[in-house]
Amino acid sequence: ATMQLDMSVDEVKQKVGNVFGTVPAYDHATGLMNLELGGCPRDYPDGNNYSEASTEWVCLKAWFTDKRIATLYKLNYLQVVKGRMQDVQTTLIEKFGPPAKDIADGESKTTKMVWSAEPVGADNQTHNEEVEANLTRIGDHIIVDMTLHDAESTERPGKVTESPGRVQARSPVRLKL
């Protein structure tokens, strides 16, 4: 979807709509945009209860600033896929290139991958964009939980301070990033 920080609400809506065929809902009062398809859990991404994960889940939440023209400052995307962890990792590497960090925890069946992008931005506001992927195996499913954010900032001015991607695939795992 080629998402970038500082995109406007309309730009994000258009890009997400083009990828998923459905325009996400945006709430001006909270500065949150949501797309929940295929039974995405209501408490996503804060609930972290993925015990009944389904490959139908497509969950996207985007946070926007409370400036006169709201801009994207954080994006979280969750998708459930069926397959091997290695295939998911291969797909992500094909989309984003080799990660700056790749940390696997065999005992808990989780992997964390992080990509850093060159600073981007306009109007003298540059952001060190980072895409973080947390992969968790639950039974036959792998939860792909991704966040696009500014690596230099834990929070940016906005209406809500809670918890993404830019990016083609050859792996048998199909991600809709």
Side-chain angles (χ1 to χ4, degrees), residues 29-133:
T30 62
L32 286 174
M33 181 179 289
N34 288 295
L35 179 68
E36 298 171 350
L37 303 175
C40 181
R42 287 184 169 264
D43 55 356
Y44 155 81
D46 301 320
N48 296 323
N49 182 9
Y50 305 134
S51 59
E52 296 183 23
S54 165
T55 55
E56 302 299 313
W57 288 7
V58 173
C59 317
L60 181 134
K61 186 171 282 192
W63 289 260
F64 291 83
T65 63
D66 63 351
K67 297 177 185 174
R68 185 173 169 267
I69 298 175
T71 58
L72 180 68
Y73 73 91
K74 187 174 181 180
L75 180 106
N76 185 266
Y77 174 81
L78 181 135
Q79 183 177 347
V80 179
V81 296
K82 195 169 187 171
R84 299 180 320 149
M85 182 72 77
Q86 183 177 357
D87 293 335
V88 174
Q89 290 172 297
T90 299
T91 298
L92 291 171
I93 290 169
E94 288 172 358
K95 288 180 178 285
F96 296 102
K101 295 179 192 171
D102 191 349
I103 305 162
D105 183 351
E107 289 183 27
S108 64
K109 300 180 183 178
T110 62
T111 296
K112 179 178 185 171
M113 301 170 79
V114 178
W115 294 265
S116 298
E118 295 296 318
V120 297
D123 302 330
N124 296 324
Q125 291 186 340
T126 54
H127 307 286
N128 292 316
E129 289 188 355
E130 185 173 87
V131 174
E132 181 178 313

